[in-house]
Amino acid sequence: MSTIQVQSPGMFTTVQDLGRYGYGPLGVSPSGAGDPLALRVGNLLVGNLESAAALEMTLLGGTFVFPEGAIVALAGADFSATVDGSPLAPWTACELSPGATLRTGGAQSGARCYLCVRGGIEVKPLLGSASTHILTGLGGFAGRPLKRGDVLRIGRSAGTPRVIRPAELAKLAPRKILRATDGPQTGWFSRASLDRFFGGAYQVTGESNRMGLRLEGPALETPHSGQMISEGVSLGAIQVPAGGKPIILFVEQQTTGGYPKIANVISADLPSIGQLRPRDEIRFEHVEPAAARALIRQQEEFLISGALFQ
Amino acid sequence: MTRFCYASDQSLLVYLGEEVNLETHRRVLKLLRLLEAEPIPGVRNLHPAYHSILIVFDPVRQEHENIERTVAACIRRLDSIALPEPRLVEIPVIYDGPDLNDVASIHQTTPERVIELHSSAEYVVYFVGFVPGFAYLGGLPQELATPRLESPRQRVPKGSVAIGGSHTGVYPFETPGGWRLIGRTTLEIFDPEREELSRLVIGDRVRFVPVA
């Protein structure tokens, strides 16, 4: 059994896969990778199924020792990684010899980097997923971010590593202009608020995490003082509580909520949210549901076409 | 009285009424049971609430129009569906919460009377949401309806029994929260290792039983 020893965990590193679906009636949100595109591509690079569990590092990465060696790839934001002192390019599968040390630094841009290992990170699945749900301490590795001294098990895999085509990868680059459709309460907002929302720039604040991203920018009038009957909320919903500062609900979102939602980030742009960091400036561009549907289908077709790989 | 709304490019909201009441709740529960018994291909999650269900689907395989058609057909069958007799869940409560005295004084009564009122009512789980196992209970005696705290606590201890507005509930995990804490339970509400993941599920009847 191969292992990973955590020499330093980095700022906030958790085990994530593509999330836990079907437990909405019990209040369980899917969780999973903040940038699932990066996780999926990283897994394919090392020859895993795209849904395998990996380590999600946030803003500042960790240092990991591989006593038995491994095949690894880093995907997502560039965390200036080195292996035993030599640079390791992101989006590249690399065979580590036994005892190798992989060190990652701070994010050059973006927020999240996935350390994918051939065979995947092996943890006991909880409700069908390896994802960590931080708020409740469920799933992943002991339900918490990694700590120094943790030892993770690497699973088995028979897949073949692949090589990326950088020019094709650029087509999946994270966006700072997030496209959004109407939300359930868009019609409650005044024309002026909608114009401010879609015309203005918002800054991601430090009070942002896997549950949601709080934004600072043109204040919006909160219709009905933000009071409404609680209802199910979607991933990427942009809710406007009293005070008028929008919040984007993210992967570890609450499953229901009682604030009006002005818009909803489209499926194709949800992975981009996972690469936003505090002080990033973002904008919203309105699209119709039919356009959103076409965009996610294009993205998915591109991903499964194999065009990304040599 | 049924209304559909595109909530995002991968979700559809179905409203089964316009307000919070038991009749609408029963329609929500019936539709939920129907959608669980006859899953629509490509549907990934269901989020029932007071008067609605959010249906989350895979936008690559499914579309709103399809889901809406199928759900509309399900809704036409709701009247013919009989719900089983709801079970009764008893929750032991130690009534020693930090806000018990405040709740009593807001209502110009004694803590003992608050406990008596809170533990003599029967509640219904309208839905479970927000975080795993958090049950939104209806049926709080009107005399106990209490505004939420002006500034929410950063940490509400796990197991806290609380009142917020005209609702009461149990915090299954330590989370932030703005409800007033009147007691606590040692009952593990949500346990992923247990076959019954959540002790409280939509439709349950609930009683709080004072313990020393």
Side-chain angles (χ1 to χ4, degrees), chain A residues 3-294:
Chain A
T3 58
I4 305 175
Q5 293 179 354
V6 180
Q7 205 167 76
S8 97
M11 194 172 110
F12 186 85
T13 301
T14 56
V15 175
Q16 299 294 345
D17 60 12
L18 292 177
R20 182 175 286 120
Y21 285 87
Y23 295 92
L26 299 181
V28 183
S29 55
S31 193
D35 180 354
L37 274 181
L39 174 73
R40 293 168 68 187
V41 174
N43 271 327
L44 294 173
L45 283 171
V46 295
N48 288 343
L49 292 175
E50 59 173 39
S51 56
L55 298 184
E56 178 182 275
M57 300 185 280
T58 315
L59 294 173
L60 180 66
T63 301
F64 307 93
V65 178
F66 295 78
E68 298 83 15
I71 291 173
V72 302
L74 293 166
D78 186 349
F79 274 42
S80 314
T82 58
V83 173
D84 295 329
S86 307
L88 170 63
W91 305 102
T92 310
C94 171
E95 182 159 6
L96 305 183
S97 45
T101 300
L102 171 71
R103 198 179 293 274
T104 58
Q108 299 296 299
S109 65
R112 290 184 172 85
C113 174
Y114 295 86
L115 169 53
C116 299
V117 188
R118 184 163 184 262
I121 304 289
E122 204 172 79
V123 294
K124 189 179 160 207
L126 179 97
L127 309 181
S129 164
S131 285
T132 316
H133 193 275
I134 290 297
L135 181 74
T136 54
L138 300 174
F141 184 86
R144 59 163 171 79
L146 298 184
K147 288 184 195 164
R148 181 191 175 90
D150 285 344
V151 178
L152 300 155
R153 292 150 61 115
I154 301 174
R156 281 178 225 282
S157 162
T160 316
R162 309 176 80 165
V163 179
I164 202 90
R165 287 192 166 122
E168 296 296 314
L169 182 65
K171 294 177 184 168
L172 295 177
R175 298 169 55 92
K176 292 276 167 61
I177 298 175
L178 301 176
R179 292 162 292 192
T181 54
D182 281 355
Q185 288 81 35
T186 300
W188 291 16
F189 289 83
S190 67
R191 191 67 249 169
S193 277
L194 288 169
D195 286 346
R196 273 202 293 281
F197 178 75
F198 284 108
Y202 285 87
Q203 205 179 53
V204 177
T205 72
E207 284 178 273
S208 298
N209 54 32
R210 287 172 45 84
M211 288 183 72
L213 290 83
R214 288 174 185 270
L215 307 180
E216 196 74 60
L220 308 169
E221 291 158 42
T222 312
H224 306 241
S225 344
Q227 296 291 316
M228 55 172 279
I229 301 173
S230 285
E231 62 187 26
V233 287
S234 308
L235 178 61
I238 301 157
Q239 63 176 25
V240 184
K245 293 180 180 173
I247 300 172
I248 309 177
L249 298 180
F250 201 36
V251 286
E252 238 184 74
Q253 62 168 79
Q254 54 196 69
T255 57
T256 55
Y259 294 121
K261 296 160 289 285
I262 191 168
N264 205 109
V265 177
I266 66 169
S267 298
D269 290 354
L270 292 172
S272 297
I273 301 174
Q275 294 299 353
L276 294 176
R277 55 202 275 162
R279 290 183 296 285
D280 270 352
E281 189 177 282
I282 58 171
R283 289 171 177 276
F284 296 97
E285 179 188 328
H286 187 266
V287 296
E288 295 301 327
R293 179 186 298 164

Side-chain angles (χ1 to χ4, degrees), chain B residues 138-172:
Chain B
L140 183 73
Q142 203 50 51
E143 307 99 286
L144 286 184
T146 318
R148 296 170 192 203
L149 295 172
E150 276 187 19
S151 56
R153 287 185 171 87
Q154 281 308 303
R155 288 163 172 232
V156 173
K158 173 179 175 172
S160 294
V161 175
I163 292 176
S166 56
H167 300 283
T168 186
V170 184
Y171 285 86

Side-chain angles (χ1 to χ4, degrees), chain B residues 108-159:
Chain B
Q108 296 174 333
T109 185
T110 61
E112 290 71 26
R113 179 67 182 148
V114 171
I115 297 168
E116 190 187 320
L117 282 168
H118 190 260
S119 60
S120 57
E122 187 176 293
Y123 303 88
V124 57
V125 178
Y126 273 122
F127 64 100
V128 173
F130 181 52
V131 296
F134 190 96
Y136 285 74
L137 300 176
L140 183 73
Q142 203 50 51
E143 307 99 286
L144 286 184
T146 318
R148 296 170 192 203
L149 295 172
E150 276 187 19
S151 56
R153 287 185 171 87
Q154 281 308 303
R155 288 163 172 232
V156 173
K158 173 179 175 172

Side-chain angles (χ1 to χ4, degrees), chain A residues 22 24 26 231 234 255 267 293 297, chain B residues 9 11 15 45 47 59 65 133:
Chain A
L26 299 181
E231 62 187 26
S234 308
T255 57
S267 298
R293 179 186 298 164
R297 290 183 179 182
Chain B
D9 65 7
S11 57
Y15 294 100
N45 234 336
H47 297 216
E65 295 83 347

